Amino acid sequence: MREELFHPLISHFPIAFLITASCLKLFLFITLILKKEGKFTKIQTIAQALLFAGTALLLPTIFLGDMAFETIKQNLCEITIAYQHEQLSETTLMIFILGLILQFLEYLPAWKGKFRISKELLLVIILSLGSYYLIRTSHLGATMVYEHGAAVTNANCNS
């Protein structure tokens, strides 16, 4: 397998994990507002695990993206789009790290149970923003491949 293909191979996992975690956290926030949150402790655990795993998987995804870029840059017709993709991915990572920190503040004794609704609302906002950047990053990656021929062996800049 060509090494530049490892990036798209792994990148779909954090995308799926983080979008799902964001949707679950929104659902859990709604149940908190409706005072029904006690019924969904397993979903809370799943959302936290997906948030952690997805954020952790962004690191090798970005690393493999850098490796792929080194391989394909001489054949890439529009190189600025690759730099935009990289900047968006780093912004996405920072947003989800912030969300992960906020999520695990609940486990610190000083924060346990305090500002619960405000903290959960802020977390939903951060995860929504992270999902927005994640989708933008993904779309730009797809644009690189499907419109600009990134990692396509017979790409042609004239089309």
Side-chain angles (χ1 to χ4, degrees):
M1 180 181 235
R2 298 184 348 242
E3 70 178 32
E4 69 271 16
L5 299 180
F6 286 115
H7 172 67
L9 179 70
I10 194 173
S11 66
H12 294 91
F13 290 102
I15 294 168
F17 289 176
L18 292 169
I19 297 290
T20 304
S22 299
C23 291
L24 289 176
K25 291 304 287 182
L26 175 61
F27 169 76
L28 290 166
F29 178 71
I30 292 168
T31 63
L32 177 64
I33 297 298
L34 298 176
K35 308 224 185 290
K36 307 251 187 219
E37 82 252 273
K39 300 177 181 183
F40 302 103
T41 55
K42 289 183 182 179
I43 293 177
Q44 175 70 14
T45 304
I46 292 168
Q48 289 176 356
L50 288 172
L51 178 60
F52 178 78
T55 303
L57 281 171
L58 283 176
L59 294 169
T61 300
I62 291 172
F63 173 76
L64 290 170
D66 289 341
M67 280 180 40
F69 178 65
E70 289 302 316
T71 304
I72 67 163
K73 69 180 175 184
Q74 67 272 6
N75 297 326
L76 191 59
C77 303
E78 183 64 44
I79 201 160
T80 58
I81 199 168
Y83 289 116
Q84 291 171 339
H85 180 65
E86 181 179 27
Q87 288 174 335
L88 283 172
S89 69
E90 291 168 358
T91 301
T92 301
L93 175 63
M94 292 303 128
I95 293 169
F96 278 109
I97 287 174
L98 180 63
L100 195 60
I101 291 168
L102 185 61
Q103 174 63 63
F104 287 103
L105 280 178
E106 182 66 25
Y107 293 103
L108 297 177
W111 282 82
K112 193 148 186 84
K114 293 183 180 174
F115 313 110
R116 180 97 193 271
I117 292 178
S118 300
K119 185 180 72 64
E120 291 297 323
L121 175 61
L122 182 59
L123 183 59
V124 166
I125 291 169
I126 289 170
L127 295 183
S128 297
L129 182 65
S131 295
Y132 168 76
Y133 273 92
L134 184 62
I135 291 167
R136 280 191 60 203
T137 305
S138 303
H139 183 264
L140 202 52
T143 301
M144 285 173 49
V145 173
Y146 293 108
E147 292 181 18
H148 299 285
V152 177
T153 54
N154 295 323
N156 184 345
C157 292
N158 297 329
S159 48

